[in-house]
Amino acid sequence: MRENIEISGQTRLYGLFAHPAHHSLSPLMHNTSFNNREIDARYLAFDLQPADLAQGVAAIRALGLGGVNLSMPFKQTIIPMLDEITPRAQLLESVNVIKNSNGHLIGDSVDGEGFFANLIAEGVTVAQQAMVVLGAGGAGLSIIQAGIDHQ
């Protein structure tokens, strides 16, 4: 693991759009991962006012950000501003990640898939098992939808 990866002219920028954003541990988590994997990238938290969301989306394109994660209150309101959303995001009517593919912004909802990928990596058998999900917010609904896919 390199301790001090310098920012270069090739450093890719990623971020979080949230309001508020200052409490987020996402920058620590992502930057630690980039550092450990020696990836030339940085992740920042952007405290974006809801009225400035369209400008934030334009900034993704204009600045060439690799992508962003979304938190409340943006997961539904951003959908009409994107070029494409995945079938999973369409089903959930929610987006929590945006990938910038050469200016083409693709929204997805990946909380549920991440949850099940972790369970499987830990050796937890999920097929044909009953589940109880406490909470039905965006992440909870995404986990329920992914649970259906993993049965």
Side-chain angles (χ1 to χ4, degrees):
M1 176 177 80
R2 296 188 299 176
E3 290 300 318
N4 293 315
I5 298 175
E6 296 297 322
I7 294 174
S8 74
Q10 300 299 312
T11 301
R12 196 74 195 258
L13 185 61
Y14 297 86
L16 167 70
F17 285 1
H19 182 68
H22 67 275
H23 67 284
S24 176
L25 297 176
S26 289
L28 174 64
M29 178 181 66
H30 286 87
N31 288 318
T32 298
S33 181
F34 291 151
N35 190 40
N36 287 343
R37 297 173 186 268
E38 298 185 6
I39 297 171
D40 188 7
R42 290 293 184 276
Y43 185 99
L44 300 171
F46 298 99
D47 193 329
L48 193 63
Q49 294 292 324
D52 297 328
L53 182 58
Q55 290 175 310
V57 171
I60 296 169
R61 288 187 176 98
L63 299 174
L65 275 65
V68 297
N69 296 97
L70 300 164
S71 188
M72 295 308 291
F74 304 122
K75 291 182 176 188
Q76 290 82 31
T77 57
I78 200 160
I79 292 173
M81 300 175 197
L82 302 175
D83 299 309
E84 177 183 349
I85 64 172
T86 65
R88 175 173 46 214
Q90 288 175 347
L91 178 65
L92 294 168
E93 298 177 345
S94 179
V95 167
N96 74 334
V97 295
I98 299 170
K99 177 183 176 185
N100 183 359
S101 182
N102 298 315
H104 184 82
L105 303 184
I106 305 164
D108 199 356
S109 182
V110 299
D111 285 334
E113 281 304 311
F115 178 82
F116 279 93
N118 186 58
L119 288 178
I120 292 166
E122 294 294 324
V124 176
T125 302
V126 295
Q128 305 303 313
Q129 298 293 317
M131 288 180 37
V132 174
V133 177
L134 302 176
L141 292 176
S142 184
I143 290 168
I144 292 167
Q145 186 274 322
I148 293 167
D149 291 347
H150 282 271
Q151 285 298 314

